[in-house]
Amino acid sequence: MKSRRHAKILDIISEHSIETQDELLTKLREHGFQATQATISRDIKDLRLVKTLGSDGKYRYVSAAKNSTDIRSNFSALFASSVNSVDCAQNIVVIKTLSGMAQAVCAALDSVEYKAVVGTIAGDDTIFIVCRSSELAAGLVSDLKKFI
C-alpha cells in the first residue's frame, strides 16, 4: 500500500501544482487513498519531496531526486527567501523559517551535504541540525548567515 501511495504522490505532483500537504492529501483521497496528515508528512520525507519556486511565483512540491541539481543551484535563493534566523547552542544549529518552509529548506540543505552535519530534522517553521562539534556548528551558522 505504501509503495502504491508513494507512486501516486509522485504522479500527482508531476501533474498538478501542489503547494501544501492538505492539497496533496485531498488529491490522494480523490484517487481512493486514505491517509492522515502525519502519513503524508512521512511520505514527503521518505520521497525527499521539496518545495521549489515555480515560474508563477508560488512554491510547489517536486521530487528532490529528479531535481537535485536545481535544488543545489537554487539553495541560496530558497534560503534567503524562507529563513528568518540561524543560531546554535553547542553542537545544535537551529534555523527558523517562514511557516511551512522548514521541510523545503531542510531538504535543500541536506542536498548540499555539509560534512559538519550529522543529521537534520524539520518541523513546520523550525529546523534542528546536529553537527559533529560545537566548533563545526558555529562555522555552519557563520556560513548559513551569509545566505540571509
Side-chain angles (χ1 to χ4, degrees), residues 12 21-31 33 40:
I12 290 170
Q21 290 182 12
D22 285 336
E23 287 178 33
L24 182 56
L25 186 57
T26 299
K27 288 287 185 190
L28 276 172
R29 288 181 176 158
E30 289 172 6
H31 288 91
F33 290 88
I40 298 303

Side-chain angles (χ1 to χ4, degrees), residues 16-118:
H16 304 282
S17 180
I18 303 294
E19 294 181 56
T20 66
Q21 290 182 12
D22 285 336
E23 287 178 33
L24 182 56
L25 186 57
T26 299
K27 288 287 185 190
L28 276 172
R29 288 181 176 158
E30 289 172 6
H31 288 91
F33 290 88
Q34 294 301 316
T36 64
Q37 189 278 328
T39 300
I40 298 303
S41 182
R42 282 189 299 274
D43 289 344
I44 288 170
K45 181 95 169 154
D46 290 346
L47 292 169
R48 296 191 49 133
L49 301 183
V50 295
K51 285 186 177 179
T52 60
L53 187 61
S55 58
D56 59 358
K58 295 181 181 178
Y59 286 94
R60 62 181 292 235
Y61 282 107
V62 296
S63 172
K66 294 179 182 175
N67 294 299
S68 61
T69 303
D70 292 339
I71 291 167
R72 285 187 188 116
S73 65
N74 292 327
F75 173 72
S76 61
L78 176 64
F79 201 87
S81 65
S82 302
V83 173
N84 293 327
S85 67
V86 181
D87 203 353
C88 69
Q90 296 186 357
N91 70 319
I92 298 173
V93 175
V94 178
I95 299 174
K96 297 296 282 181
T97 70
L98 299 174
S99 182
M101 293 306 298
Q103 290 184 15
V105 171
C106 190
L109 182 69
D110 287 344
S111 74
V112 176
E113 299 177 1
Y114 282 100
K115 300 257 188 248
V117 175
V118 175

